[in-house]
Amino acid sequence: MSGVAAVTLVGAGPGDPELLTVKAANALRHASVVLYDHLVGEAVLQLVPPDADLIYVGKESSSHTMEQPTIIELMVRLARSGRPVLRLKGGDGYIFGRGGEEAEGLAREGIPFTVIPGLSAAQAAGANAGIPLTHRAHAATLVFATGHGREDSEPELDWDALARPRQTVVIYMGVGTLPLISRRLVDHGLTADTPAAIVERASLPGERCLVGTLGTLPALAREHAVRPPALLIIGSVVSLQPLLSAGSAVHRPR
Ligand code: SAH
């Protein structure tokens, strides 16, 4: 009988394979079985050896290919059968990636695991769109929040805390709830002319950045048919975008 193998939870970064860490790329090149999510780019998967098993476990917010407990069970079973598992997640696994839940499941079952961090979408979005997420003249606090509510209900967020001054708020999974987010932030004290941007497909082909204000962004996103994956960036740092982006202030296709 073979011993228990380890699981490596790997952050795949925002999509561009050049934004993988060297450590993640090395782990991928030596992988034997890979469980990956829908946000992992095709180009990243190309690094896996041709004889490795690639298992798609999906998980778009609305259609879960495999439920979370099933994914954990599968990893546990593979590891106990002696097969090292590479669990690949978009961005960073510990930032809105349910990596924490999976690590918990593995720890409870006594399966050894390591975590390789990845660049999160917010970092790629800021860099590519020309929006520094912090800046001494604009924001001393940076908040990452989820715009996704349970079963499509309103996200459970502390709106007063999100509407504080001198702060940048980055919202993941917020395309569907953008009109509500914009309304709530204004109700809780931000002005409707607070600069706000939406960055779609950061670091991927077809990347776009739309810049407006909290008041105008919902209509802008609708007009331009913005689709996930996209991030909202809210706060005065967004006013630097026209100066810092190399291309047009509104639309930056690649
Ligand atoms: N763990 C990931 C986040 C997963 S949650 C990370 O650290 O980046 C999924 C959400 O992440 C998407 O709905 C979107 O809001 C954001 N996202 C992921 N990849 C993105 C990309 N390339 N461009 C813009 N947003 C992205």
Short mmCIF file of all heavy atoms in Angstrom, two decimals, residues 177-231:
data_model
loop_
_atom_site.label_atom_id
_atom_site.label_comp_id
_atom_site.label_asym_id
_atom_site.label_seq_id
_atom_site.Cartn_x
_atom_site.Cartn_y
_atom_site.Cartn_z
N THR A 177 -24.54 42.58 -9.19
CA THR A 177 -25.11 43.42 -8.13
C THR A 177 -24.62 44.87 -8.19
O THR A 177 -24.87 45.64 -7.27
CB THR A 177 -24.79 42.82 -6.74
OG1 THR A 177 -23.42 42.42 -6.71
CG2 THR A 177 -25.67 41.62 -6.41
N LEU A 178 -23.95 45.24 -9.30
CA LEU A 178 -23.41 46.60 -9.39
C LEU A 178 -24.44 47.71 -9.13
O LEU A 178 -24.16 48.64 -8.36
CB LEU A 178 -22.69 46.79 -10.75
CG LEU A 178 -22.27 48.19 -11.14
CD1 LEU A 178 -21.36 48.84 -10.10
CD2 LEU A 178 -21.56 48.20 -12.50
N PRO A 179 -25.65 47.65 -9.71
CA PRO A 179 -26.62 48.73 -9.43
C PRO A 179 -26.93 48.83 -7.93
O PRO A 179 -26.98 49.93 -7.38
CB PRO A 179 -27.86 48.32 -10.23
CG PRO A 179 -27.35 47.40 -11.31
CD PRO A 179 -26.18 46.69 -10.70
N LEU A 180 -27.09 47.69 -7.29
CA LEU A 180 -27.40 47.69 -5.86
C LEU A 180 -26.20 48.22 -5.04
O LEU A 180 -26.36 49.04 -4.13
CB LEU A 180 -27.73 46.26 -5.44
CG LEU A 180 -28.04 46.09 -3.96
CD1 LEU A 180 -29.31 45.28 -3.79
CD2 LEU A 180 -26.91 45.40 -3.22
N ILE A 181 -25.00 47.77 -5.42
CA ILE A 181 -23.79 48.22 -4.70
C ILE A 181 -23.66 49.73 -4.79
O ILE A 181 -23.41 50.42 -3.80
CB ILE A 181 -22.55 47.50 -5.28
CG1 ILE A 181 -22.56 46.02 -4.88
CG2 ILE A 181 -21.25 48.17 -4.83
CD1 ILE A 181 -21.58 45.15 -5.66
N SER A 182 -23.86 50.25 -6.01
CA SER A 182 -23.72 51.68 -6.22
C SER A 182 -24.74 52.44 -5.36
O SER A 182 -24.41 53.42 -4.68
CB SER A 182 -23.90 51.95 -7.72
OG SER A 182 -24.37 53.23 -7.94
N ARG A 183 -25.98 51.96 -5.34
CA ARG A 183 -27.04 52.61 -4.54
C ARG A 183 -26.71 52.58 -3.05
O ARG A 183 -26.79 53.58 -2.37
CB ARG A 183 -28.36 51.87 -4.79
CG ARG A 183 -29.47 52.79 -5.22
CD ARG A 183 -30.77 52.11 -5.56
NE ARG A 183 -30.98 50.75 -5.19
CZ ARG A 183 -31.02 49.73 -6.05
NH1 ARG A 183 -30.82 49.94 -7.34
NH2 ARG A 183 -31.29 48.50 -5.63
N ARG A 184 -26.32 51.42 -2.57
CA ARG A 184 -26.04 51.28 -1.14
C ARG A 184 -24.88 52.17 -0.70
O ARG A 184 -24.92 52.78 0.35
CB ARG A 184 -25.67 49.83 -0.80
CG ARG A 184 -26.82 48.87 -0.86
CD ARG A 184 -27.71 48.94 0.38
NE ARG A 184 -28.77 47.98 0.27
CZ ARG A 184 -29.95 48.22 -0.33
NH1 ARG A 184 -30.21 49.41 -0.82
NH2 ARG A 184 -30.85 47.27 -0.41
N LEU A 185 -23.82 52.24 -1.52
CA LEU A 185 -22.66 53.04 -1.13
C LEU A 185 -23.03 54.52 -1.08
O LEU A 185 -22.55 55.26 -0.21
CB LEU A 185 -21.49 52.80 -2.09
CG LEU A 185 -20.84 51.42 -1.95
CD1 LEU A 185 -19.75 51.23 -3.01
CD2 LEU A 185 -20.22 51.24 -0.55
N VAL A 186 -23.90 54.96 -1.99
CA VAL A 186 -24.35 56.36 -1.97
C VAL A 186 -25.26 56.58 -0.76
O VAL A 186 -25.11 57.56 -0.02
CB VAL A 186 -25.02 56.75 -3.30
CG1 VAL A 186 -25.67 58.12 -3.21
CG2 VAL A 186 -24.00 56.72 -4.44
N ASP A 187 -26.17 55.64 -0.50
CA ASP A 187 -27.04 55.75 0.68
C ASP A 187 -26.22 55.84 1.97
O ASP A 187 -26.64 56.45 2.94
CB ASP A 187 -27.95 54.52 0.82
CG ASP A 187 -29.03 54.50 -0.25
OD1 ASP A 187 -29.21 55.53 -0.93
OD2 ASP A 187 -29.68 53.43 -0.41
N HIS A 188 -25.06 55.18 1.97
CA HIS A 188 -24.27 55.11 3.20
C HIS A 188 -23.15 56.16 3.25
O HIS A 188 -22.27 56.07 4.09
CB HIS A 188 -23.73 53.70 3.43
CG HIS A 188 -24.80 52.75 3.86
ND1 HIS A 188 -24.97 52.35 5.15
CD2 HIS A 188 -25.80 52.18 3.14
CE1 HIS A 188 -26.03 51.55 5.22
NE2 HIS A 188 -26.54 51.41 4.01
N GLY A 189 -23.18 57.12 2.33
CA GLY A 189 -22.31 58.28 2.52
C GLY A 189 -21.31 58.62 1.43
O GLY A 189 -20.73 59.69 1.47
N LEU A 190 -21.07 57.73 0.45
CA LEU A 190 -20.17 58.14 -0.64
C LEU A 190 -20.96 59.02 -1.61
O LEU A 190 -22.16 58.82 -1.79
CB LEU A 190 -19.62 56.92 -1.38
CG LEU A 190 -18.53 56.10 -0.68
CD1 LEU A 190 -18.04 54.97 -1.59
CD2 LEU A 190 -17.35 56.98 -0.26
N THR A 191 -20.30 59.99 -2.24
CA THR A 191 -21.04 60.81 -3.19
C THR A 191 -21.15 60.07 -4.53
O THR A 191 -20.30 59.23 -4.85
CB THR A 191 -20.34 62.17 -3.44
OG1 THR A 191 -19.02 61.89 -3.92
CG2 THR A 191 -20.26 62.97 -2.16
N ALA A 192 -22.20 60.41 -5.29
CA ALA A 192 -22.43 59.72 -6.57
C ALA A 192 -21.30 60.01 -7.55
O ALA A 192 -21.11 59.27 -8.51
CB ALA A 192 -23.77 60.15 -7.15
N ASP A 193 -20.53 61.08 -7.31
CA ASP A 193 -19.42 61.35 -8.25
C ASP A 193 -18.09 60.73 -7.80
O ASP A 193 -17.03 61.03 -8.34
CB ASP A 193 -19.29 62.85 -8.53
CG ASP A 193 -18.92 63.64 -7.30
OD1 ASP A 193 -18.73 63.03 -6.22
OD2 ASP A 193 -18.81 64.88 -7.40
N THR A 194 -18.13 59.82 -6.85
CA THR A 194 -16.91 59.08 -6.47
C THR A 194 -16.41 58.29 -7.68
O THR A 194 -17.18 57.54 -8.30
CB THR A 194 -17.23 58.08 -5.32
OG1 THR A 194 -17.76 58.81 -4.22
CG2 THR A 194 -15.99 57.31 -4.89
N PRO A 195 -15.14 58.45 -8.05
CA PRO A 195 -14.62 57.71 -9.21
C PRO A 195 -14.74 56.19 -9.01
O PRO A 195 -14.52 55.68 -7.91
CB PRO A 195 -13.14 58.13 -9.27
CG PRO A 195 -13.10 59.44 -8.56
CD PRO A 195 -14.13 59.36 -7.47
N ALA A 196 -15.12 55.52 -10.08
CA ALA A 196 -15.32 54.07 -10.01
C ALA A 196 -15.01 53.45 -11.37
O ALA A 196 -15.25 54.06 -12.41
CB ALA A 196 -16.76 53.75 -9.60
N ALA A 197 -14.46 52.27 -11.35
CA ALA A 197 -14.10 51.59 -12.61
C ALA A 197 -14.53 50.14 -12.55
O ALA A 197 -14.72 49.56 -11.48
CB ALA A 197 -12.59 51.67 -12.83
N ILE A 198 -14.68 49.58 -13.73
CA ILE A 198 -14.91 48.15 -13.82
C ILE A 198 -13.84 47.59 -14.77
O ILE A 198 -13.62 48.14 -15.85
CB ILE A 198 -16.36 47.85 -14.24
CG1 ILE A 198 -16.68 46.37 -14.17
CG2 ILE A 198 -16.70 48.38 -15.61
CD1 ILE A 198 -18.16 46.09 -14.05
N VAL A 199 -13.15 46.57 -14.31
CA VAL A 199 -12.10 45.97 -15.14
C VAL A 199 -12.52 44.53 -15.45
O VAL A 199 -12.66 43.70 -14.56
CB VAL A 199 -10.72 46.00 -14.45
CG1 VAL A 199 -9.64 45.44 -15.38
CG2 VAL A 199 -10.36 47.41 -14.01
N GLU A 200 -12.74 44.31 -16.73
CA GLU A 200 -13.22 43.00 -17.20
C GLU A 200 -12.04 42.21 -17.77
O GLU A 200 -11.22 42.77 -18.50
CB GLU A 200 -14.27 43.25 -18.29
CG GLU A 200 -14.96 42.03 -18.84
CD GLU A 200 -15.88 42.40 -20.03
OE1 GLU A 200 -15.55 43.31 -20.81
OE2 GLU A 200 -16.92 41.76 -20.16
N ARG A 201 -11.96 40.94 -17.44
CA ARG A 201 -10.94 40.04 -17.99
C ARG A 201 -9.51 40.59 -17.84
O ARG A 201 -8.73 40.57 -18.80
CB ARG A 201 -11.23 39.74 -19.47
CG ARG A 201 -12.54 38.99 -19.68
CD ARG A 201 -12.80 38.67 -21.14
NE ARG A 201 -11.74 37.87 -21.73
CZ ARG A 201 -11.62 36.54 -21.57
NH1 ARG A 201 -12.52 35.89 -20.88
NH2 ARG A 201 -10.62 35.89 -22.11
N ALA A 202 -9.19 41.05 -16.64
CA ALA A 202 -7.84 41.59 -16.40
C ALA A 202 -6.79 40.56 -16.78
O ALA A 202 -6.88 39.40 -16.38
CB ALA A 202 -7.68 41.96 -14.94
N SER A 203 -5.84 40.97 -17.56
CA SER A 203 -4.69 40.17 -18.03
C SER A 203 -5.06 39.09 -19.04
O SER A 203 -4.21 38.28 -19.42
CB SER A 203 -3.91 39.54 -16.85
OG SER A 203 -4.42 38.26 -16.50
N LEU A 204 -6.32 39.06 -19.46
CA LEU A 204 -6.75 38.07 -20.46
C LEU A 204 -7.05 38.77 -21.79
O LEU A 204 -7.28 39.98 -21.82
CB LEU A 204 -8.03 37.37 -19.97
CG LEU A 204 -7.86 36.42 -18.80
CD1 LEU A 204 -9.20 36.11 -18.15
CD2 LEU A 204 -7.17 35.14 -19.26
N PRO A 205 -7.07 38.03 -22.91
CA PRO A 205 -7.43 38.66 -24.17
C PRO A 205 -8.83 39.28 -24.04
O PRO A 205 -9.70 38.70 -23.40
CB PRO A 205 -7.46 37.49 -25.17
CG PRO A 205 -6.63 36.42 -24.54
CD PRO A 205 -6.76 36.60 -23.05
N GLY A 206 -9.01 40.45 -24.61
CA GLY A 206 -10.31 41.12 -24.52
C GLY A 206 -10.47 41.93 -23.25
O GLY A 206 -11.57 42.37 -22.94
N GLU A 207 -9.38 42.13 -22.52
CA GLU A 207 -9.46 42.94 -21.29
C GLU A 207 -10.04 44.33 -21.60
O GLU A 207 -9.72 44.93 -22.61
CB GLU A 207 -8.04 43.10 -20.74
CG GLU A 207 -7.97 44.06 -19.56
CD GLU A 207 -6.53 44.31 -19.12
OE1 GLU A 207 -5.84 43.34 -18.82
OE2 GLU A 207 -6.13 45.48 -19.12
N ARG A 208 -10.91 44.80 -20.71
CA ARG A 208 -11.47 46.15 -20.87
C ARG A 208 -11.50 46.85 -19.53
O ARG A 208 -11.68 46.21 -18.50
CB ARG A 208 -12.92 46.08 -21.36
CG ARG A 208 -13.09 45.60 -22.76
CD ARG A 208 -14.49 45.91 -23.26
NE ARG A 208 -15.51 45.10 -22.60
CZ ARG A 208 -16.82 45.26 -22.82
NH1 ARG A 208 -17.25 46.20 -23.65
NH2 ARG A 208 -17.69 44.48 -22.21
N CYS A 209 -11.39 48.17 -19.59
CA CYS A 209 -11.57 48.97 -18.38
C CYS A 209 -12.53 50.11 -18.70
O CYS A 209 -12.31 50.86 -19.64
CB CYS A 209 -10.22 49.53 -17.92
SG CYS A 209 -10.39 50.70 -16.57
N LEU A 210 -13.60 50.20 -17.94
CA LEU A 210 -14.54 51.30 -18.10
C LEU A 210 -14.44 52.17 -16.86
O LEU A 210 -14.45 51.66 -15.74
CB LEU A 210 -15.97 50.78 -18.22
CG LEU A 210 -16.27 49.78 -19.33
CD1 LEU A 210 -17.66 49.22 -19.16
CD2 LEU A 210 -16.12 50.43 -20.68
N VAL A 211 -14.33 53.47 -17.08
CA VAL A 211 -14.17 54.39 -15.95
C VAL A 211 -15.34 55.35 -15.90
O VAL A 211 -15.76 55.90 -16.92
CB VAL A 211 -12.84 55.18 -16.09
CG1 VAL A 211 -12.74 56.24 -15.01
CG2 VAL A 211 -11.67 54.22 -15.98
N GLY A 212 -15.88 55.53 -14.73
CA GLY A 212 -16.97 56.49 -14.55
C GLY A 212 -17.02 56.90 -13.10
O GLY A 212 -15.97 57.10 -12.47
N THR A 213 -18.22 56.99 -12.58
CA THR A 213 -18.41 57.33 -11.17
C THR A 213 -19.38 56.30 -10.60
O THR A 213 -19.98 55.51 -11.34
CB THR A 213 -19.04 58.72 -11.03
OG1 THR A 213 -20.35 58.67 -11.60
CG2 THR A 213 -18.22 59.79 -11.72
N LEU A 214 -19.53 56.35 -9.29
CA LEU A 214 -20.50 55.43 -8.67
C LEU A 214 -21.87 55.60 -9.32
O LEU A 214 -22.60 54.63 -9.51
CB LEU A 214 -20.64 55.75 -7.18
CG LEU A 214 -19.90 54.91 -6.20
CD1 LEU A 214 -20.34 55.28 -4.78
CD2 LEU A 214 -20.13 53.42 -6.45
N GLY A 215 -22.21 56.84 -9.67
CA GLY A 215 -23.52 57.11 -10.27
C GLY A 215 -23.64 56.60 -11.70
O GLY A 215 -24.70 56.13 -12.10
N THR A 216 -22.55 56.71 -12.46
CA THR A 216 -22.65 56.37 -13.90
C THR A 216 -22.25 54.93 -14.23
O THR A 216 -22.58 54.42 -15.30
CB THR A 216 -21.77 57.30 -14.76
OG1 THR A 216 -20.39 57.10 -14.39
CG2 THR A 216 -22.13 58.76 -14.57
N LEU A 217 -21.52 54.27 -13.32
CA LEU A 217 -20.94 52.96 -13.68
C LEU A 217 -21.99 51.88 -14.02
O LEU A 217 -21.79 51.12 -14.97
CB LEU A 217 -19.99 52.48 -12.58
CG LEU A 217 -18.95 51.45 -13.04
CD1 LEU A 217 -18.01 52.02 -14.10
CD2 LEU A 217 -18.14 50.93 -11.86
N PRO A 218 -23.12 51.81 -13.29
CA PRO A 218 -24.08 50.76 -13.65
C PRO A 218 -24.57 50.87 -15.09
O PRO A 218 -24.59 49.86 -15.82
CB PRO A 218 -25.23 50.98 -12.65
CG PRO A 218 -24.57 51.63 -11.46
CD PRO A 218 -23.50 52.51 -12.04
N ALA A 219 -24.88 52.09 -15.54
CA ALA A 219 -25.35 52.26 -16.92
C ALA A 219 -24.23 51.97 -17.92
O ALA A 219 -24.45 51.33 -18.96
CB ALA A 219 -25.90 53.67 -17.12
N LEU A 220 -23.01 52.41 -17.58
CA LEU A 220 -21.86 52.15 -18.45
C LEU A 220 -21.64 50.65 -18.65
O LEU A 220 -21.42 50.18 -19.76
CB LEU A 220 -20.60 52.71 -17.80
CG LEU A 220 -20.01 54.02 -18.29
CD1 LEU A 220 -18.74 54.32 -17.49
CD2 LEU A 220 -19.68 53.95 -19.78
N ALA A 221 -21.71 49.92 -17.54
CA ALA A 221 -21.48 48.47 -17.60
C ALA A 221 -22.57 47.80 -18.44
O ALA A 221 -22.29 46.87 -19.20
CB ALA A 221 -21.46 47.88 -16.20
N ARG A 222 -23.79 48.29 -18.30
CA ARG A 222 -24.89 47.71 -19.08
C ARG A 222 -24.70 48.01 -20.56
O ARG A 222 -24.77 47.11 -21.40
CB ARG A 222 -26.22 48.29 -18.57
CG ARG A 222 -27.41 47.40 -18.83
CD ARG A 222 -28.67 47.88 -18.13
NE ARG A 222 -28.89 49.31 -18.26
CZ ARG A 222 -28.90 50.16 -17.21
NH1 ARG A 222 -28.72 49.73 -15.99
NH2 ARG A 222 -29.11 51.45 -17.40
N GLU A 223 -24.43 49.28 -20.88
CA GLU A 223 -24.22 49.69 -22.29
C GLU A 223 -23.13 48.87 -22.96
O GLU A 223 -23.23 48.51 -24.12
CB GLU A 223 -23.73 51.15 -22.34
CG GLU A 223 -24.77 52.19 -22.56
CD GLU A 223 -24.18 53.55 -22.19
OE1 GLU A 223 -23.04 53.84 -22.62
OE2 GLU A 223 -24.87 54.30 -21.45
N HIS A 224 -22.05 48.62 -22.23
CA HIS A 224 -20.91 47.92 -22.82
C HIS A 224 -20.99 46.41 -22.60
O HIS A 224 -20.04 45.69 -22.90
CB HIS A 224 -19.59 48.47 -22.27
CG HIS A 224 -19.30 49.86 -22.72
ND1 HIS A 224 -18.49 50.15 -23.78
CD2 HIS A 224 -19.77 51.04 -22.27
CE1 HIS A 224 -18.45 51.46 -23.96
NE2 HIS A 224 -19.22 52.03 -23.04
N ALA A 225 -22.13 45.95 -22.07
CA ALA A 225 -22.37 44.51 -21.86
C ALA A 225 -21.21 43.83 -21.14
O ALA A 225 -20.67 42.82 -21.60
CB ALA A 225 -22.66 43.83 -23.20
N VAL A 226 -20.81 44.40 -20.02
CA VAL A 226 -19.72 43.82 -19.23
C VAL A 226 -20.18 42.48 -18.64
O VAL A 226 -21.31 42.36 -18.16
CB VAL A 226 -19.30 44.78 -18.10
CG1 VAL A 226 -18.30 44.10 -17.16
CG2 VAL A 226 -18.70 46.05 -18.68
N ARG A 227 -19.31 41.50 -18.72
CA ARG A 227 -19.62 40.16 -18.20
C ARG A 227 -18.52 39.72 -17.23
O ARG A 227 -17.38 40.14 -17.36
CB ARG A 227 -19.62 39.14 -19.36
CG ARG A 227 -20.63 39.38 -20.44
CD ARG A 227 -21.94 38.62 -20.18
NE ARG A 227 -22.97 39.06 -21.09
CZ ARG A 227 -23.77 40.11 -20.92
NH1 ARG A 227 -23.65 40.85 -19.84
NH2 ARG A 227 -24.68 40.45 -21.80
N PRO A 228 -18.85 38.84 -16.30
CA PRO A 228 -17.79 38.27 -15.46
C PRO A 228 -16.79 37.50 -16.33
O PRO A 228 -17.20 36.99 -17.38
CB PRO A 228 -18.53 37.32 -14.52
CG PRO A 228 -19.98 37.70 -14.61
CD PRO A 228 -20.17 38.28 -15.99
N PRO A 229 -15.53 37.36 -15.93
CA PRO A 229 -15.00 37.90 -14.69
C PRO A 229 -14.66 39.39 -14.80
O PRO A 229 -14.00 39.81 -15.75
CB PRO A 229 -13.72 37.09 -14.49
CG PRO A 229 -13.26 36.74 -15.87
CD PRO A 229 -14.51 36.59 -16.68
N ALA A 230 -15.12 40.16 -13.84
CA ALA A 230 -14.81 41.58 -13.80
C ALA A 230 -14.80 42.05 -12.35
O ALA A 230 -15.48 41.48 -11.51
CB ALA A 230 -15.84 42.37 -14.61
N LEU A 231 -14.03 43.09 -12.12
CA LEU A 231 -13.89 43.64 -10.77
C LEU A 231 -14.34 45.08 -10.75
O LEU A 231 -14.12 45.80 -11.73
CB LEU A 231 -12.41 43.69 -10.39
CG LEU A 231 -11.67 42.44 -9.99
CD1 LEU A 231 -10.21 42.81 -9.79
CD2 LEU A 231 -12.25 41.87 -8.71
#
